[in-house]
Amino acid sequence: MTEAIGLPALEQALDALTARVLSLREATSSYPADPRSTLDAALAELDTARELLDAALRELRRTPRRSGERENGSQRELKLLRQVFKTFPVPVAVLDGSGVIRRISAETSRMLGSPAGYLIGRAFPLFVDVSRRAAFRSHLTAVQQSGQTATFQTRLAHQGRAHTVQLALVRLTMPGEPHAMTGVVILPLEAQVPEAPAGPADRSDAALILAAAHRQELLSRMSRLLLDEESLRQPVTVTRAARLLAAEAADWVIADVVQDGSPRRACVFGPSDRPVSDLIRLVEGLNPLTAPLVAHVLTGGSGVVHEMVEDEALLGGAGDGRPPLLRVMGAASVMCVPIGGEDGPAGALTLVRLRDREPFTLADLGLMQEIGVHVGLALRARRSFRDRSEAADALRTSVVPRSLPDIPGFEAAAIYHAGSSPVGAEFYDVFPVADGWGFALGGAAGRGEEAAAVSALVRNGLRVLSVWEPDPGQALRKLNQALTVQHSGMFVMALAGFVKGRRIRLASAGHHPAALLRPDGTVRFSAGGGVPLGISPEGETFDEELTLASGQTLLFYSDGLVASRNEAGEAYGEIRLADVLARCVSQSPAAVVKTVEEDRHAFSGGRVWDEIVILALRVV
């Protein structure tokens, strides 16, 4: 069929072709295990379709309409031929010299899953499988230059679907067009065309609602992930966010963060079902600023989405003369959004989808920009949490020693539990004094940083005053005067003791008494009592002096130990403490404090409300 034919004959030929194509599709569905005979017939029909298209174009070239001339029979035939092109039973597209789609049939639109208005103006090679894209461009150029028809087998992919097809390319001279066009006839070799298009413009209300619900669920999961305690304590915020996005929203996720004014690559996640570990390592080592898309987002501060990748250099090259990174990935759609910062972007999240998934949309861009804001807020919250934790650690170090020093003639051990407060107000200490050793424990009434600061003042003040004051009671009274002058509104229960040889001089300012465990298993408590520091300038301490014998153990403890309660609301108390100590005869101080804590733990069901300090000294 080399000459133009009349319109009736063309319509008859198209009807017959439509019937034969329908039969071939039914045969493919009915006999999927034996596609060879069907494929041979389909290729023959492809030649027929190409010849019919040539004939239709020749009809279109005949008798062009002059300006101002009334529509005649030839013009009506031209309109009808255009309609025939749109309803052609085989997918057909017309490309300009650069490969951009200028005309497309309804069957092509149905196969690719998007309306014609969306597809026209797109570069046709973007739908061709990445591995065959360069070859397709070469065939396209050869057809345009030589005028000879070429056939080409490849995969076309769009909107989450892929088709193995046979393409027939033919050069066209279109009426009114100064340059030759290229007609592409597309024969699917696999029956993968859905019954209804699923493009973004034709999705049902139910599908749109489901997509919106999925985006909302992803945002909710991301919020829970970012607010998790581990994300606040450990530097895993960006990594955990990128891992979730790679599992739920993209094939590739690249996260970059700005540190000290310069962006650096934080993490890269690729498709879990593909061998891309070498490519991941390559991308991890690239400078984020070599990617024009990332540099644009970090500079401009707003997100960008490319539903179809037309510029494969958006993420830069893979290095060493290799193709652009997006081509190596097999990317079809890409998006980049900033991570929110206080003075500009704190980083960027780049998401890539491959050709077998639906492309990103503006709705996806809105969601990812919101996620970028959430990630930025989480990073700021973690910095604040880290700063407060470091401050808390510094305060805790100021009230609790890292280790106990060796005391000549004594063994010492201690246990400390912070309770429910991140910053403790209880303190204990062991330190050298003139001709001996000193120890102290106690705590400010209250919780938080202010109470810890007051406890640190008392602890360090005792160390300083012990240089001039050989009497712990006098040292506590001077501290009391200092606290009352400051009018802090806080008071401190404290106990201090100075050790010289085996003699211990104790002073108590409103603190619990010490428990003395003798080798025969008897337990007696010291005087204790006194007025807490910081209440009155005339506050008095209770002083006592003990001379310890070999094998005796002196136990000091905070209110958090004896005030611990069980499920019935009963307090642990000093009577139970004495019973437990009686079972610890001849045990080391480490064993004694461990036994007491285990008994308290069992009594209270493991609950700890207030801080617990237990300090044991044993004469060797």
Side-chain angles (χ1 to χ4, degrees):
M1 187 179 300
T2 58
E3 299 297 330
I5 63 176
L7 188 58
L10 179 59
E11 290 177 331
Q12 271 189 335
L14 282 173
D15 290 340
L17 177 61
T18 301
R20 293 195 301 273
V21 169
L22 180 62
S23 298
L24 288 175
R25 284 179 178 162
E26 292 174 350
T28 302
S29 301
S30 301
Y31 306 102
D34 184 24
R36 184 64 193 177
S37 58
T38 305
L39 176 61
D40 291 341
L43 290 174
E45 294 296 356
L46 179 63
D47 291 334
T48 302
R50 187 174 68 250
E51 291 177 0
L52 285 176
L53 183 61
D54 286 341
L57 290 173
R58 290 188 178 90
E59 284 291 334
L60 288 174
R61 295 191 192 103
R62 294 176 59 186
T63 320
R65 182 179 179 181
R66 297 184 182 88
S67 176
E69 183 181 347
R70 294 185 60 187
E71 186 175 55
N72 55 25
S74 297
Q75 294 300 322
R76 288 194 295 272
E77 287 189 352
L78 285 175
K79 287 186 176 181
L80 186 56
L81 284 171
R82 292 190 183 98
Q83 185 63 29
V84 167
F85 172 79
K86 291 180 181 179
T87 59
F88 207 65
V90 174
V92 180
V94 177
L95 315 182
D96 65 12
S98 61
V100 174
I101 299 174
R102 296 304 180 192
R103 298 286 187 275
I104 195 167
S105 68
E107 186 70 11
T108 309
S109 178
R110 188 177 77 87
M111 185 191 74
L112 293 178
S114 288
Y118 177 81
L119 297 171
I120 292 175
R122 304 282 184 178
F124 187 84
L126 296 176
F127 301 99
V128 177
D129 187 73
V130 176
S131 63
R132 303 280 286 163
R133 194 175 292 172
F136 174 81
R137 288 193 174 100
S138 297
H139 281 288
L140 182 64
T141 301
V143 168
Q144 291 172 342
Q145 293 178 350
S146 68
Q148 296 181 353
T149 301
T151 59
F152 182 74
Q153 183 171 322
T154 185
R155 282 176 77 245
L156 294 183
H158 180 57
Q159 291 289 4
R161 64 192 70 189
H163 305 277
T164 302
V165 299
Q166 187 82 15
L167 303 179
L169 285 71
V170 60
R171 188 172 69 181
L172 306 175
T173 303
M174 303 288 289
E177 293 287 346
H179 303 289
M181 300 282 191
T182 301
V184 181
V185 181
I186 307 167
L187 177 65
L189 302 183
E190 297 177 2
Q192 297 184 14
V193 180
E195 291 299 322
D202 297 325
R203 298 176 70 174
S204 66
D205 291 342
L208 291 174
I209 291 173
L210 286 175
H214 176 72
R215 287 191 287 268
Q216 186 62 38
E217 172 63 19
L218 178 58
L219 182 60
S220 176
R221 290 181 61 187
M222 182 65 71
S223 298
R224 291 196 298 269
L225 182 73
L226 296 176
L227 292 174
D228 183 75
E229 185 175 354
E230 182 181 356
S231 295
L232 293 175
R233 291 187 177 277
Q234 303 294 331
V236 295
T237 302
V238 174
T239 301
R240 297 181 78 187
R243 183 181 291 112
L244 176 60
L245 293 178
E248 298 293 334
D251 296 295
W252 285 86
V253 176
I254 303 171
D256 301 308
V257 295
V258 177
Q259 288 187 346
D260 300 326
S262 300
R264 70 167 185 84
R265 192 128 290 169
C267 59
V268 178
F269 292 96
S272 59
D273 59 342
R274 304 189 184 190
V276 292
S277 56
D278 290 342
L279 184 56
I280 288 176
R281 286 192 289 271
L282 172 67
V283 178
E284 287 174 340
L286 296 176
N287 184 343
L289 293 180
T290 60
L293 179 61
V294 177
H296 173 78
V297 169
L298 290 176
T299 303
S302 59
V304 178
V305 61
H306 292 269
E307 296 183 46
M308 298 182 66
V309 175
E310 299 188 24
D311 181 5
E312 293 178 329
L314 285 172
L315 293 186
D320 300 329
R322 298 174 65 181
L325 191 59
L326 286 175
R327 186 188 303 175
V328 177
M329 289 179 172
S333 185
V334 64
M335 173 168 52
C336 186
V337 297
I339 295 174
E342 295 179 299
D343 301 316
L349 294 171
T350 305
L351 290 80
V352 176
R353 283 182 180 171
L354 305 184
R355 300 178 60 80
D356 54 356
R357 296 183 64 166
E358 289 190 12
F360 292 118
T361 64
L362 289 177
D364 296 320
L365 177 63
L367 169 68
M368 293 305 158
Q369 290 196 131
E370 184 68 18
I371 286 177
V373 171
H374 285 201
V375 173
L377 290 173
L379 287 175
R380 274 180 274 171
R382 185 188 173 275
R383 284 195 295 270
S384 177
F385 183 86
R386 181 191 60 200
D387 293 342
R388 290 182 65 87
S389 296
E390 290 175 352
D393 290 341
L395 279 173
R396 189 176 298 114
T397 302
S398 70
V399 296
V400 177
R402 296 184 183 275
S403 61
L404 294 177
D406 294 330
I407 304 175
F410 286 84
E411 292 179 344
I415 282 180
Y416 172 82
H417 284 303
S420 59
S421 176
V423 180
E426 292 285 342
F427 70 90
Y428 72 93
D429 197 9
V430 177
F431 51 90
V433 299
D435 301 324
W437 288 87
F439 59 88
L441 73 159
R447 297 181 180 180
E449 297 173 2
E450 186 177 2
V454 173
S455 293
L457 184 150
V458 173
R459 177 199 178 208
N460 295 321
L462 279 171
R463 278 187 169 234
V464 173
L465 290 172
S466 67
V467 176
W468 296 282
E469 291 292 346
D471 180 11
Q474 185 62 20
L476 287 177
R477 286 188 287 272
K478 288 187 176 181
L479 281 172
N480 176 62
Q481 293 173 1
L483 288 177
T484 54
V485 168
Q486 292 182 11
H487 301 291
S488 66
M490 285 196 173
F491 60 90
V492 179
M493 295 178 292
L495 183 147
F498 291 169
V499 181
K500 292 185 178 181
R502 293 189 175 182
R503 287 187 303 111
I504 299 178
R505 186 166 181 81
L506 296 175
S508 173
H511 201 273
H512 289 283
L516 178 61
L517 172 62
R518 295 189 177 98
D520 60 2
T522 59
V523 176
R524 86 169 183 88
F525 290 88
S526 65
V531 179
L533 306 177
I535 293 180
S536 170
E538 291 79 24
E540 291 295 327
T541 61
F542 279 9
D543 300 341
E544 184 176 0
E545 185 171 306
L546 303 174
T547 300
L548 302 184
S550 179
Q552 291 183 332
T553 299
L554 200 58
L555 189 84
F556 306 94
Y557 51 92
S558 67
D559 184 66
L561 172 65
V562 293
S564 294
R565 296 186 178 275
N566 59 15
E567 294 182 354
E570 300 169 334
Y572 187 80
E574 292 172 345
I575 295 177
R576 184 181 180 100
L577 174 60
D579 292 340
V580 176
L581 287 176
R583 304 196 300 266
C584 298
V585 174
S586 301
Q587 291 186 5
S588 68
V592 172
V593 296
K594 182 179 179 182
T595 300
V596 173
E597 166 54 19
E598 289 177 347
D599 185 72
R600 185 215 61 83
H601 186 277
F603 174 82
S604 63
R607 295 181 294 274
V608 180
W609 290 279
D610 293 327
E611 296 163 88
I612 295 173
V613 175
I614 307 173
L615 172 65
L617 299 174
R618 182 173 184 268
V619 181
V620 295

